[in-house]
């Protein structure tokens, strides 16, 4: 069965409090040298049937309408090899 | 500046209610043919300085001790090209 990964991240201009919280905690925990952290979501979809252009187009539509809020988030769709 | 991506997903044997909720919603929204959905976290780290083996080892340690709960989660560290 084919696996498709949809990554959803806040747009660069949108404040990311989760990422900021992680970023600020790192020096306290002894990890230096990280300039920025952004946190987002990763969806792994197990796709039935052939993973043709039509299936990928449907997954792209699904990501755009349901998995991501495209007002504030960007997403990428890729086949996991 | 180099970007490193840390993906954190629940281990396969751990119940994923977020992924299940997405999975169950898909047919209602008109998307058929998805056998399973797992939802996890994606961290994008902007790394200062050279991204050598020592830096990657530190990021791996950071992911293991802080970004992931390795009792229930698996993680991968990769350089974003």
């Amino acid at each position: 069965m084919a696996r498709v990964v949809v990554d959803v991240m806040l747009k660069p201009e949108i404040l990311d409090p989760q990422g900021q919280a992680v970023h600020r905690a790192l020096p306290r925990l002894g990890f230096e040298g990280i300039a920025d952290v952004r946190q987002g979501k990763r969806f792994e979809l197990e796709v039935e049937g052939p993973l043709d252009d039509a299936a990928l187009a449907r997954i792209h539509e699904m990501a755009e309408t349901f998995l991501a809020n495209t007002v504030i988030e960007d997403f990428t769709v890729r086949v996991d090899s």
Side-chain angles (χ1 to χ4, degrees), chain A:
Chain A
M1 198 173 292
R3 171 176 294 174
V4 175
V5 174
V6 179
D7 287 319
V8 178
M9 299 296 293
L10 285 169
K11 288 179 190 284
E13 65 270 26
I14 303 289
L15 191 68
D16 175 7
Q18 283 186 305
Q20 284 186 343
V22 172
H23 185 212
R24 279 199 296 263
L26 292 177
R28 291 202 307 269
L29 296 165
F31 297 106
E32 306 283 346
I34 304 295
D36 193 23
V37 178
R38 305 281 290 176
Q39 182 174 345
K41 286 174 282 187
R42 173 187 165 98
F43 297 92
E44 292 181 354
L45 312 176
E46 306 293 332
V47 182
E48 291 168 347
L51 196 60
D52 49 16
D53 285 352
L56 278 175
R58 278 180 40 249
I59 291 169
H60 196 277
E61 186 194 347
M62 186 193 307
E64 189 167 15
T65 56
F66 178 51
L67 299 180
N69 174 352
T70 55
V71 176
I72 59 169
E73 290 171 326
D74 291 324
F75 68 93
T76 60
V77 176
R78 68 173 191 282
V79 179
D80 196 22
S81 53

